[in-house]
Amino acid sequence: MTPEAAYDLLAAGDAPRELWVGGTLDYSARSGRAVPERLPDCLSVDFLNLSGSAIAILPPRLNVQELDLSGTKIRSLPEDLKVRTRLDLTDCEWLEQLPAGLTVGTL
């Protein structure tokens, strides 16, 4: 699915479980988009940018190429989070621990 179509579904709360998005979903503070109340379980996206956003919880089975959580108040990451290339946790002062089995190319 395209990012544009995904934005519409996510904003309406109609995103299906196991949503796959080819490209970038940008919910960073700079984007001006509000983060959906709930991201769908099993979301798969190339690049998810949540930097500076008010995100509190990531969905189970999130699968991303790149994930930017810099400047968020996220406290924990799902045990089953899959980040294939890059995870940015810069200035995540509230983060308490990383999942035991987490592997990424660049942290």
Side-chain angles (χ1 to χ4, degrees):
M1 173 177 297
T2 66
E4 293 76 20
Y7 286 131
D8 292 340
L9 286 174
L10 289 163
D14 293 333
R17 188 171 190 269
E18 298 186 19
L19 177 66
W20 181 84
V21 181
T24 299
L25 284 180
D26 186 0
Y27 287 106
S28 65
R30 284 193 247 171
S31 75
R33 288 185 191 91
V35 178
E37 248 182 64
R38 189 171 175 287
L39 293 169
D41 294 358
C42 307
L43 173 64
S44 182
V45 61
D46 293 333
F47 178 38
L48 181 57
N49 187 354
L50 297 166
S51 63
S53 72
I55 190 78
I57 298 173
L58 294 175
R61 297 179 55 199
L62 176 63
N63 185 345
V64 296
Q65 184 76 26
E66 295 183 48
L67 178 59
D68 188 344
L69 293 171
S70 61
T72 62
K73 292 184 179 179
I74 197 102
R75 291 186 177 269
S76 64
L77 301 175
E79 288 295 323
D80 52 6
L81 173 66
K82 292 183 183 172
V83 180
R84 295 183 302 279
T85 305
R86 187 178 73 89
L87 175 60
D88 190 342
L89 297 172
T90 306
D91 296 325
C92 288
E93 298 171 6
W94 295 87
L95 186 63
E96 296 172 0
Q97 68 182 26
L98 297 174
L102 179 67
T103 58
V104 298
T106 304
L107 179 61

